[in-house]
Amino acid sequence: MTLDEKKIYLKEYREKNKEKIVEYCKKYREENKEQLEEKRKEYRKTPSGIKNKTISNWKEKGIKSDNYDTLYDNYLAETHCDLCRVKFGKKGDGSGTWKCADHDHASGEFRNFLCNRCNLKRG
């Protein structure tokens, strides 16, 4: 069986057995809930997990981008607020200088990375 034939076979199998596969996956998740949650927790600590969560948060907040990967790379590279030029701090350090992705709330268009204080002032 060639690779293309195998792909076609698997696609047809999934289509014919969709309900069976869904039920199997549901049962597997129920029986392995703790192990899967532990894997999720570990993944969230990896660079890929952190990146995916950050981008997911941006999307939930309405930030639109043609290329989230490039936006994330720029996010990592930025060290100072684009308005007040303060060095970014960490969230929860009491300084209010943690990094925020500023965007237009009406259009979702990303503007720049600001400290939380400048982001709140800008609105």
Side-chain angles (χ1 to χ4, degrees):
M1 184 180 285
T2 68
L3 184 60
D4 286 336
E5 290 172 331
K6 188 171 185 177
K7 285 180 183 180
I8 292 168
Y9 168 78
L10 290 173
K11 183 177 180 180
E12 290 173 355
Y13 177 85
R14 283 190 302 271
E15 288 173 4
K16 290 177 186 175
N17 296 284
K18 189 173 185 174
E19 290 178 23
K20 182 178 174 182
I21 293 169
V22 167
E23 190 59 37
Y24 172 81
C25 290
K26 183 178 176 180
K27 182 179 176 186
Y28 179 85
R29 285 191 305 271
E30 288 172 5
E31 292 174 355
N32 297 282
K33 199 173 200 172
E34 291 174 14
Q35 296 91 331
L36 292 171
E37 183 57 33
E38 190 59 38
K39 283 183 181 181
R40 277 192 288 276
K41 283 181 184 179
E42 289 302 315
Y43 173 73
R44 289 180 192 135
K45 295 175 188 176
T46 67
S48 294
I50 294 167
K51 177 181 179 179
N52 286 337
K53 183 62 177 167
T54 302
I55 291 172
S56 176
N57 285 341
W58 289 342
K59 290 177 180 180
E60 286 175 16
K61 291 178 182 180
I63 297 173
K64 295 179 182 166
S65 175
D66 293 335
N67 190 333
Y68 287 102
D69 290 327
T70 300
L71 184 61
Y72 185 77
D73 291 341
N74 292 340
Y75 170 78
L76 293 179
E78 288 294 326
T79 59
H80 292 77
C81 176
D82 281 348
L83 290 182
C84 71
R85 300 307 305 159
V86 68
K87 183 174 170 110
F88 290 124
K90 293 189 178 188
K91 192 169 186 172
D93 68 2
S95 69
T97 60
W98 65 85
K99 195 182 311 185
C100 295
D102 181 43
H103 66 289
D104 182 295
H105 288 255
S107 69
E109 179 184 356
F110 169 80
R111 293 188 282 228
N112 49 14
F113 295 107
L114 304 177
C115 69
N116 187 57
R117 289 184 295 192
C118 289
N119 192 37
L120 291 173
K121 288 177 192 174
R122 191 170 197 181

